[in-house]
Amino acid sequence: MHLYHVTLQPPTHINQVVLGKFSGTKVQEMVLARSSRLELIRPDPDSGKLLTVLTHDVFGTIRSLAAIRLTGSSKDYIIVGSDSGRLVILEYNPGANRFDRVIMETFGKTGIRRTVPGQYLAADPRGRVLMVAAPEKHKFVYMLTRDANSVLAISSPIEAHKAHTLVFDCVALDMGFENPVFACLEVDYGEAEDRPDEPVDKVLTYYELDLGLNHVVRKWSDTVDRDANLLVPLPGRALVDAVPEGPSGVLVCSKNYITYRHQDVPAHRVPIPQRTPTKEDRGVLIVAAAVYKSKGTFFVMLQSEVGDLYKLTVDYEGDQVTDLCIQYFDTVPTAVGLCILDNGCLFVASEFGNHMLYQFEQLGDNDDVPQYHSSKSDESDPLAPTVLEPRELTNLAPIDEMESLAPLLDTTILNLANEDTPQVYALCGRGAQSSFKVLRHGLEINEIAVSALPGHPQAIWSTKLTATDPYDSYIVVSFTDATLVLAIGETVEEVTDSGLLTNKPTLVVQQIGPNALVQVHPQGYRLIQADKRVSEWRPPAHQVVTHAVANERQLVLGLSSGEVVYFELDATGQLAEFDRTTEFGEDITALSLALAPPGQQRTPFLAVGLADSTVRIISLEPHNCLDALAMQALSDVPSSLCLVEMADRETDPHLTTLYLYTGLRNGVLIRTSVDHVSGQLAETRTRFLGSQPVQLCRVVTNGVPAVLALSSRPWLSYVYQSRTRLAPLAYEALVYAGAFRSEPCAEGLVAIADDTLRILNVERLGTPLNQAAVPLQCTPRRTIHHPVHNQFVVYETDHLPDGTPGSATNPAWTSCLRIINPLSGETSWMHQFDPDEAAFGMGLVIFSSEATEPASPLILVGAARGFSQTTQKSLAAFIYAFRFNADGTTLELLHKTEVDEIPRVIIPFQGRALVGMGPLLRIYDLGKRKMLRKCQSRAIPNSIVTLQAVGSRIIIGDLQESIHFALYRPQENRIAVFADDTLPRWITATHLLDYNTVAGGDRFGNLFVLRLPTEISQKIDNDATGNLLYHEKGYLQGAANKLTPLAHFYVGDTITSLQRATLVVGGREVLVYTTLLGAIGALIPLTSKADVDFFQTLETHLRSEAPPLCGRDHITYRSTYVPVKAVIDGDLCEQFALLATSAKDGIAEDLDRTPGEIAKKIEDMRTMYAF
Amino acid sequence: MNNAAAQDAQIAQARFVGTGDAETTKYQWLSNQHRDTYASLIGHPNLLSYMAVAENESLARCRLNLLEKMVQPCGPPPPAEDA
């Protein structure tokens, strides 16, 4: 068995964010780390929304990011601390839109280890040095210089190690051009071991790099609060005699206090305003901070863990701080990183839930919230009564939201809405940000305007009036017997003086030449000059124009006789008819011309679709004008054609490929590449779009051409980061559409749907899934679909960190159960469990002991009261039994049974309930007053987390000890484990692939497939006595038989659900996984040996030709815990598209194929099985 | 044991924190194991998030708690046994 791994949706959470000018222009950008992906985003200068410029999978875990700018330069470099044991410095290359690795320096072992640096990064604000530190002991300082060719170079590492020292945070101070200093928050645990009776101090230590001696010294060290967790460096002075921009030094954030510390100056301390006083030992923790400098002043934005923002200002005279002033600012989602941009925006990279971009409305100067000053705070009463009222946003206004699924806790993939493809029903978010999300494959559409049109419009165009116009002026709508012309301004209004004929339908409208407009109608064309002079052309008698196509310099008309007439713009601005026509003897069904290449007279090819189910490429060059160059036979009559130059070779943006898109009457879209010189057709890709004939329209996305294909559903074929993608739009079916350029919407679409005019905008081209969310009350844990009534049952459980387990007044848990309709999103029923009770498991079971018709399913919920997370013990555990009412919209509580352990997993099993509770596996039947225990097994070592049943076989996933196969024998009423795994795996999700094969995912991010050998399976099943089951001698301290691993793969993120699903129409089933951090991926089974060989060879080549950017070896990354086995990484294969042409050719030669064929094969894997 | 092997062991002990020797006590060994585990939990974004969701705490507090636990993961050292 071989599997092919593709990521359907990359992780959506952000674990690091850094602000800088990475393009080297004035535009501020942000680099995000999403576990193994680097992403560059920038706010769109027009709309202010966030644009994803580039994402790149580095095949390694990114742990820290920093930006550094060399003195005198205007461009920031990106420093990456990852699990590669290497220091990597990247440069963003805006021309080619990629990250280039400038420096890679090995300093330690690979992997995320205690003493290997990479966890902390600090870069000197003047760009001279950087420090990379580990959680314990190791710290390296590197000096940055430029070599003779002004290329970035770094020195050998200078060690600043200190044994037995834990680092809590590490920042670089702003020391101007004096010796660079790094501040670290440290604890020496060696002292704690030597002198166990004394309290351990946390110290703030300054490490100074003596630039003259190339040596790091511990310059200063002083005790700070024991619970300090974060350092915020303050600005300093650039030069000794310059006006200081700040006092330098650091803010030490600890629970409840902010303290200013610096060498040789007095400390200043200010309390953090907090909501209702928290438990004594909890305090308020600062989780994120951002310093904003402007024109010699600065302020600090701090965020507490509940999301409250504080503005902190520092008064200083010379280098001496006189006062710290803190005030409550606003409340936003809790962040992992804050960025204050120069354009007055605040980017909040949320730890869970959607990431937000806010605009500063004001800086809190006129706020009436109390301010707290360090100069006035009283040391004798350290916890000042700093009560804070959280309020609606006052100082900030949201502008944009980046959707995030993290934490993604459970999913179900089903087609409940009866669409072409199934929907993903996902439980996302935590606490108050929890939601039930419906994800669909499709690009999100922003509807800008909808306006009604009279009659039944057939086609629509939007056109400018002169070649130099930046925006469109007219929208032209064609009806069966008339044409409507609308002018675009503040409002859209009908115009009558456009010169266009309005009493005839229009076949095409095109701006042509420098400032003319051409309109084609069935009785000829009409060329309207800027001064409204009109010239017309009529077809020969008894013929009408049936099809027309035009670009800026050329016009082609298809006549009812099957002839094609060709016109070209001459020097006088008139259209000159080519003196020969060509006849095909078949009806013309479609025509297409590419756009005229800039600076050239014409595009050399015309595509003609004919009723004999062929498409032909016709030359338009003068020497062989209207000669056929190539022909392609099709499966049906072409209904629409589109020739378009796609910029899908981003290694060189000027290299484009000419593609012929053919839409067929049977709903199939064909894409063929056209040779630029000979016009020959090659590399055909076919895709079924829907039941309607395909209509194609040329549009623009991200500044490059794209094609909109309209069938029973609209699709967009576009180029995104060197990959051509075809994705449906999350919108209703469109009749006709075209590109629309206006000031507020530079890349819009104008379309007809439902006899109305729509102006639309495609958003977030990089996000293949669009989402609809239903808010929930607290963190959803698991969901079950009720197949008869189409309802989802969800239970939500939250731990309250302030609470005490077992206390009724201050409970530690809150939990509820609800029924959600997946289509309407409405909650039809909800049950709040008693305070301090928490639901931990749920199952939908139909009991055979109940002789009701039709069978009525029960929801069983496993719950615990007074559960303590530290001891993992509860005061009591229960199974709740709920019964559905007749229409499945509500549940009724039948009874509550007290049990010994917390039931974490419940499944139906032979008309009874199989319950995994801690290490116990039990079978329960339904009684009148309580659940009745029927059978028990104690064969599982730790705690049962997943159960699957097939026949009498039970597949058990243990918390730590991987998968166990067990058999239930009704004769003896006994459950016995007969096979287990040889590796300890911390199972989080399992899915049964067949009777003997199970796929699973674990907490550390591994995906694996295990199989019970067939002979053992048969032996156990055929054993009538049960002797093999009960009396076989155990092997390797476990069951007698062992499972064989078939496949193993490291995903890099905790697996939260696994299931089989068919993701595309007519495709085969794939194994879909979801991860905690919001990624969705699929494992596609490869069916032929040839494919396996091909992809394995390709993968090997790519590992050497395109080694991962951050220095982690691809094969060792995918083998982080267990060597990768029988899984090919499609994500790596897809990086083939990013290679330089020479590298592609080299690989292609080795594989005995052309680069185009390889690209097609990689693309096919996605389009055939996934998206 | 030959000299070279002893030297190698010494180098390993100097370079890699947690390398044991004949004198390593159960307490030291266990403390090292715990510190390694906590460092891994802090370094992997998914494991820290997993913990944060379970405890309903912020990532920063989870990280701080784990770092604090690294100081004395198994509590104070046992009293030295008299020889």
Side-chain angles (χ1 to χ4, degrees):
Chain A
M1 186 182 75
H2 280 267
L3 299 167
Y4 182 85
H5 168 258
V6 285
T7 302
L8 304 180
Q9 156 145 328
T12 54
H13 91 120
I14 297 173
N15 59 327
Q16 290 285 327
V17 54
V18 60
L19 181 69
K21 293 177 180 167
F22 302 105
S23 296
T25 58
K26 286 191 171 163
V27 184
Q28 279 190 314
E29 287 147 337
M30 283 172 281
V31 172
L32 314 176
R34 300 178 183 268
S35 58
S36 75
R37 276 167 201 260
L38 269 182
E39 184 168 325
L40 185 84
I41 60 169
R42 74 165 71 107
D44 185 67
D46 301 323
S47 65
K49 300 208 173 224
L50 292 169
L51 277 181
T52 301
V53 183
L54 173 64
T55 60
H56 189 87
D57 197 336
V58 302
F59 303 106
T61 307
I62 302 166
R63 299 155 76 194
S64 50
L65 284 179
I68 195 164
R69 186 184 312 177
L70 298 190
T71 310
S73 158
S74 60
K75 185 170 186 175
D76 283 306
Y77 291 97
I78 308 154
I79 316 171
V80 186
S82 68
D83 60 349
S84 60
R86 288 167 162 168
L87 177 78
V88 170
I89 301 182
L90 305 174
E91 180 183 9
Y92 175 61
N93 179 340
N97 192 27
R98 61 161 191 258
F99 294 116
D100 289 333
R101 189 166 62 205
V102 193
I103 301 277
M104 181 163 80
E105 192 71 18
T106 310
F107 51 63
K109 286 189 186 182
T110 57
I112 294 175
R113 291 165 204 263
R114 189 169 136 203
T115 56
V116 177
Q119 184 70 34
Y120 303 103
L121 267 179
D124 176 46
R126 309 291 159 188
R128 297 168 297 171
V129 291
L130 64 93
M131 176 183 259
V132 52
E136 184 178 324
K137 189 178 168 187
H138 286 71
K139 291 181 203 76
F140 288 113
V141 175
Y142 288 91
M143 282 194 275
L144 298 173
T145 46
R146 285 185 187 281
D147 65 10
N149 307 322
S150 77
V151 178
L152 186 71
I154 60 171
S155 68
S156 2
I158 305 163
E159 292 182 1
H161 304 338
K162 186 164 183 285
H164 307 294
T165 302
L166 297 172
V167 179
F168 284 68
D169 202 3
C170 171
V171 295
L173 291 192
D174 188 355
M175 299 302 288
F177 287 99
E178 291 172 30
N179 282 337
V181 172
F182 296 94
C184 292
L185 205 51
E186 296 177 339
V187 167
D188 188 339
Y189 70 77
E191 270 177 36
E193 276 171 17
D194 296 342
R195 291 192 294 275
D197 304 328
E198 289 173 30
V200 192
D201 286 335
K202 192 173 275 180
V203 292
L204 175 68
T205 308
Y206 277 11
Y207 290 89
E208 181 179 25
L209 173 72
D210 192 319
L211 288 171
L213 296 173
N214 266 7
H215 182 65
V216 178
V217 286
R218 285 167 66 89
K219 191 185 179 195
W220 176 66
S221 187
D222 200 2
T223 311
V224 295
D225 286 340
R226 183 66 181 85
D227 45 20
N229 70 315
L230 190 73
L231 297 177
V232 185
L234 296 183
R237 70 167 79 207
L239 293 165
V240 178
D241 48 355
V243 179
E245 289 176 315
S248 191
V250 285
L251 295 176
V252 180
C253 305
S254 51
K255 284 178 186 168
N256 297 332
Y257 292 100
I258 311 282
T259 316
Y260 169 78
R261 299 303 302 266
H262 197 32
Q263 191 179 1
D264 302 333
V265 297
H268 282 263
R269 191 173 168 87
V270 67
I272 304 170
Q274 49 182 291
R275 299 182 183 187
T276 48
T278 50
K279 245 183 172 177
E280 269 168 42
D281 57 334
R282 277 186 63 79
V284 176
L285 209 61
I286 295 295
V287 298
V291 180
Y292 184 69
K293 270 196 303 190
S294 163
K295 299 185 191 107
T297 64
F298 75 95
F299 68 87
V300 185
M301 198 54 82
L302 302 162
Q303 191 184 32
S304 78
E305 60 181 328
V306 285
D308 296 331
L309 284 175
Y310 306 102
K311 183 186 164 192
L312 185 133
T313 47
V314 181
D315 287 345
Y316 56 95
E317 281 165 18
D319 293 337
Q320 292 274 335
V321 169
T322 53
D323 185 30
L324 300 182
C325 172
I326 191 167
Q327 72 180 69
Y328 170 62
F329 194 71
D330 257 337
T331 301
V332 297
T334 312
V336 291
L338 297 172
C339 292
I340 303 174
L341 280 75
D342 284 338
N343 63 358
C345 289
L346 173 73
F347 178 67
V348 178
S350 309
E351 54 175 33
F352 295 112
N354 294 353
H355 314 294
M356 303 291 295
L357 185 71
Y358 294 95
Q359 174 85 46
F360 281 100
E361 302 268 287
Q362 49 188 348
L363 286 175
D365 297 333
N366 309 324
D367 240 343
D368 51 1
V369 295
Q371 296 183 334
Y372 299 97
H373 295 268
S374 62
S375 51
K376 295 173 193 159
S377 78
D378 187 359
E379 278 294 323
S380 61
D381 179 20
L383 244 184
T386 50
V387 180
L388 160 169
E389 281 286 317
R391 57 176 186 195
E392 296 283 299
L393 286 179
T394 313
N395 295 316
L396 297 169
I399 318 181
D400 197 14
E401 200 168 353
M402 277 175 104
E403 278 162 339
S404 168
L405 297 177
L408 178 54
L409 295 155
D410 194 18
T411 51
T412 311
I413 303 178
L414 287 169
N415 190 356
L416 302 179
N418 277 326
E419 291 167 7
D420 296 350
T421 51
Q423 306 88 49
V424 180
Y425 298 91
L427 298 183
C428 305
R430 188 182 74 160
Q433 283 139 18
S434 307
S435 57
F436 175 84
K437 286 189 175 169
V438 185
L439 310 177
R440 288 182 170 85
H441 179 216
L443 297 169
E444 203 171 308
I445 294 288
N446 184 10
E447 200 171 67
I448 296 170
V450 179
S451 74
L453 290 171
H456 299 293
Q458 304 292 311
I460 192 163
W461 300 269
S462 170
T463 181
K464 51 189 183 179
L465 294 183
T466 69
T468 50
D469 280 357
Y471 301 120
D472 291 344
S473 303
Y474 287 162
I475 293 177
V476 182
V477 187
S478 171
F479 299 86
T480 42
D481 54 356
T483 296
L484 179 70
V485 184
L486 302 166
I488 305 163
E490 289 285 303
T491 57
V492 173
E493 281 172 4
E494 185 174 352
V495 281
T496 48
D497 59 346
S498 64
L500 297 167
L501 285 181
T502 54
N503 57 357
K504 287 192 173 124
T506 301
L507 294 174
V508 79
V509 168
Q510 168 75 40
Q511 194 281 318
I512 198 161
N515 49 13
L517 200 61
V518 67
Q519 176 192 25
V520 183
H521 51 83
Q523 279 74 44
Y525 77 69
R526 193 176 161 87
L527 183 70
I528 304 146
Q529 301 290 351
D531 52 10
K532 300 286 183 231
R533 276 185 299 128
V534 168
S535 44
E536 292 198 326
W537 177 91
R538 291 184 189 288
H542 313 299
Q543 292 191 21
V544 291
V545 181
T546 55
H547 292 82
V549 62
N551 65 20
E552 302 92 321
R553 313 192 64 85
Q554 293 157 285
L555 172 67
V556 179
L557 305 181
L559 305 185
S560 50
S561 59
E563 275 177 300
V564 165
V565 192
Y566 174 51
F567 301 87
E568 200 171 285
L569 200 70
D570 64 14
T572 62
Q574 291 297 323
L575 287 168
E577 183 178 349
F578 184 68
D579 54 8
R580 188 160 72 87
T581 61
T582 189
E583 203 169 332
F584 296 104
E586 285 285 345
D587 282 350
I588 296 167
T589 59
L591 291 173
S592 182
L593 276 177
L595 295 179
Q600 291 181 34
Q601 176 66 22
R602 63 183 74 81
T603 171
F605 305 122
L606 165 72
V608 185
L610 297 173
D612 62 352
S613 299
T614 58
V615 60
R616 293 167 201 217
I617 298 291
I618 307 293
S619 169
L620 297 179
E621 295 284 9
H623 63 273
N624 58 353
C625 193
L626 300 184
D627 288 356
L629 296 177
M631 187 185 95
Q632 186 181 22
L634 308 166
S635 61
D636 201 348
V637 177
S639 57
S640 182
L641 293 172
C642 190
L643 272 168
V644 60
E645 295 270 0
M646 294 283 241
D648 61 349
R649 299 192 201 167
E650 218 153 312
T651 40
D652 184 350
H654 305 296
L655 273 180
T656 57
T657 315
L658 181 64
Y659 283 109
L660 171 65
Y661 283 79
T662 311
L664 304 189
R665 218 167 48 182
N666 58 7
V668 168
L669 176 71
I670 298 169
R671 196 186 81 177
T672 315
S673 68
V674 183
D675 188 285
H676 271 113
V677 180
S678 68
Q680 291 304 308
L681 299 169
E683 287 174 38
T684 302
R685 290 155 163 86
T686 308
R687 184 83 182 260
F688 175 70
L689 299 188
S691 52
Q692 298 293 316
V694 178
Q695 173 69 45
L696 300 168
C697 314
R698 186 186 292 127
V699 294
V700 176
T701 57
N702 274 354
V704 292
V707 176
L708 197 63
L710 311 174
S711 179
S712 51
R713 202 175 170 193
W715 293 71
L716 185 68
S717 172
Y718 62 104
V719 175
Y720 186 76
Q721 295 185 0
S722 306
R723 214 183 100 196
T724 314
R725 301 174 192 228
L726 180 66
L729 304 182
Y731 202 71
E732 60 192 284
L734 303 175
V735 174
Y736 201 95
F740 177 72
R741 292 158 298 263
S742 71
E743 205 169 351
C745 170
E747 292 179 351
L749 304 173
V750 57
I752 303 170
D754 240 0
D755 295 346
T756 55
L757 184 155
R758 317 273 173 117
I759 295 176
L760 310 170
N761 188 9
V762 183
E763 292 205 324
R764 307 232 185 277
L765 288 171
T767 317
L769 295 166
N770 70 85
Q771 23 182 291
V774 180
L776 301 177
Q777 186 176 313
C778 37
T779 315
R781 304 286 166 163
R782 284 275 174 250
T783 169
I784 285 188
H785 174 239
H786 187 308
V788 180
H789 300 301
N790 252 351
Q791 305 277 5
F792 276 100
V793 186
V794 178
Y795 74 85
E796 302 157 39
T797 302
D798 258 344
H799 179 238
L800 308 172
D802 265 343
T804 320
S807 154
T809 49
N810 184 21
W813 294 91
T814 173
S815 191
C816 67
L817 182 71
R818 72 166 85 210
I819 300 182
I820 294 182
N821 184 318
L823 302 178
S824 68
E826 279 167 18
T827 298
S828 58
W829 177 86
M830 192 162 152
H831 172 78
Q832 187 76 39
F833 290 100
D834 293 340
D836 212 34
E837 267 189 21
F840 285 106
M842 179 167 67
L844 184 134
V845 182
I846 298 175
F847 286 94
S848 56
S849 55
E850 284 197 304
T852 55
E853 254 330 304
S856 106
L858 264 68
I859 289 286
L860 302 184
V861 179
R865 178 158 52 79
F867 179 68
S868 157
Q869 284 195 323
T870 42
T871 60
Q872 294 283 309
K873 294 262 183 338
S874 63
L875 297 177
F878 311 98
I879 298 176
Y880 281 90
F882 294 94
R883 186 191 296 282
F884 278 102
N885 72 343
D887 59 353
T889 51
T890 63
L891 288 171
E892 173 202 356
L893 178 63
L894 284 186
H895 48 63
K896 176 177 172 184
T897 313
E898 184 153 353
V899 292
D900 316 325
E901 293 266 357
I902 303 169
R904 288 181 188 269
V905 47
I906 303 169
I907 60 161
F909 181 70
Q910 299 183 350
R912 297 188 287 186
L914 185 67
V915 182
M917 35 209 298
L920 307 176
L921 183 62
R922 282 184 184 167
I923 295 175
Y924 277 95
D925 207 342
L926 185 71
K928 284 250 184 293
R929 297 256 175 86
K930 57 190 282 192
M931 303 297 296
L932 308 171
R933 178 169 137 192
K934 296 292 180 190
C935 172
Q936 169 172 302
S937 163
R938 284 182 174 273
I940 303 304
N942 298 294
S943 178
I944 299 167
V945 288
T946 65
L947 282 175
Q948 315 264 339
V950 47
S952 292
R953 186 175 285 180
I954 303 165
I955 290 95
I956 304 156
D958 183 68
L959 184 67
Q960 294 179 25
E961 293 293 338
S962 191
I963 307 274
H964 299 251
F965 274 54
L967 191 71
Y968 171 67
R969 280 178 61 92
Q971 298 93 319
E972 293 95 25
N973 190 28
R974 211 173 139 183
I975 299 169
V977 171
F978 63 89
D980 61 12
D981 193 10
T982 44
L983 279 177
R985 303 182 202 259
W986 295 57
I987 303 287
T988 49
T990 55
H991 183 80
L992 211 55
L993 298 180
D994 65 32
Y995 187 54
N996 292 328
T997 316
V998 63
D1002 77 8
R1003 179 184 295 186
F1004 304 107
N1006 299 296
L1007 271 178
F1008 51 86
V1009 180
L1010 300 174
R1011 176 171 286 169
L1012 181 69
T1014 323
E1015 59 274 24
I1016 297 173
S1017 170
Q1018 283 169 353
K1019 229 163 55 183
I1020 295 286
D1021 285 352
N1022 297 337
D1023 173 29
T1025 58
N1027 287 344
L1028 273 179
L1029 199 59
Y1030 303 134
H1031 306 302
E1032 194 81 350
K1033 199 173 156 220
Y1035 179 53
L1036 297 176
Q1037 299 174 2
N1041 307 296
K1042 297 294 166 196
L1043 303 171
T1044 26
L1046 291 189
H1048 193 100
F1049 188 71
Y1050 176 65
V1051 175
D1053 192 355
T1054 308
I1055 311 292
T1056 50
S1057 77
L1058 269 176
Q1059 59 212 294
R1060 272 175 301 172
T1062 308
L1063 296 175
V1064 288
V1065 184
R1068 280 209 321 265
E1069 273 192 331
V1070 296
L1071 183 65
V1072 180
Y1073 69 84
T1074 59
T1075 71
L1076 186 73
L1077 300 180
I1080 304 177
L1083 293 171
I1084 302 166
L1086 288 173
T1087 43
S1088 81
K1089 185 83 177 68
D1091 279 356
V1092 174
D1093 290 344
F1094 169 79
F1095 283 115
Q1096 269 177 343
T1097 323
L1098 179 65
E1099 202 183 19
T1100 316
H1101 279 292
L1102 281 165
R1103 277 178 187 145
S1104 58
E1105 290 287 335
L1109 200 58
C1110 289
R1112 184 84 156 119
D1113 185 33
H1114 176 265
I1115 198 162
T1116 54
Y1117 174 67
R1118 291 302 187 191
S1119 310
T1120 301
Y1121 289 87
V1122 177
V1124 61
K1125 179 174 163 59
V1127 181
I1128 290 152
D1129 190 2
D1131 290 351
L1132 180 70
C1133 293
E1134 280 169 2
Q1135 290 197 352
F1136 179 75
L1138 306 175
L1139 292 180
T1141 316
S1142 59
K1144 277 184 187 170
D1145 290 344
I1147 294 178
E1149 204 169 297
D1150 278 356
L1151 287 167
D1152 242 356
R1153 288 165 200 257
T1154 64
E1157 283 168 354
I1158 296 176
K1160 177 173 188 295
K1161 200 141 176 63
I1162 297 168
E1163 214 173 281
D1164 278 353
M1165 280 311 284
R1166 248 186 208 268
T1167 52
M1168 278 158 65
Y1169 300 106
F1171 44 80
Chain B
M1 197 158 66
N2 61 33
N3 225 359
Q7 237 174 12
D8 283 356
Q10 267 183 1
I11 291 169
Q13 274 156 11
R15 272 183 70 183
F16 304 115
V17 176
T19 312
D21 60 18
E23 303 294 304
T24 306
T25 63
K26 189 175 174 183
Y27 171 80
Q28 286 169 339
W29 181 84
L30 212 55
S31 297
N32 264 316
Q33 292 289 313
H34 277 84
R35 286 195 186 111
D36 285 343
T37 305
Y38 292 143
S40 175
L41 292 177
I42 292 163
H44 286 95
N46 60 315
L47 295 177
L48 197 66
S49 298
Y50 193 78
M51 192 167 273
V53 172
E55 293 182 1
N56 203 12
E57 295 276 18
S58 65
L59 293 175
R61 190 178 286 265
C62 280
R63 189 181 298 118
L64 177 67
N65 289 346
L66 289 169
L67 277 166
E68 287 292 349
K69 278 189 192 170
M70 282 175 78
V71 177
Q72 283 195 342
C74 305
E81 281 176 40
D82 293 329

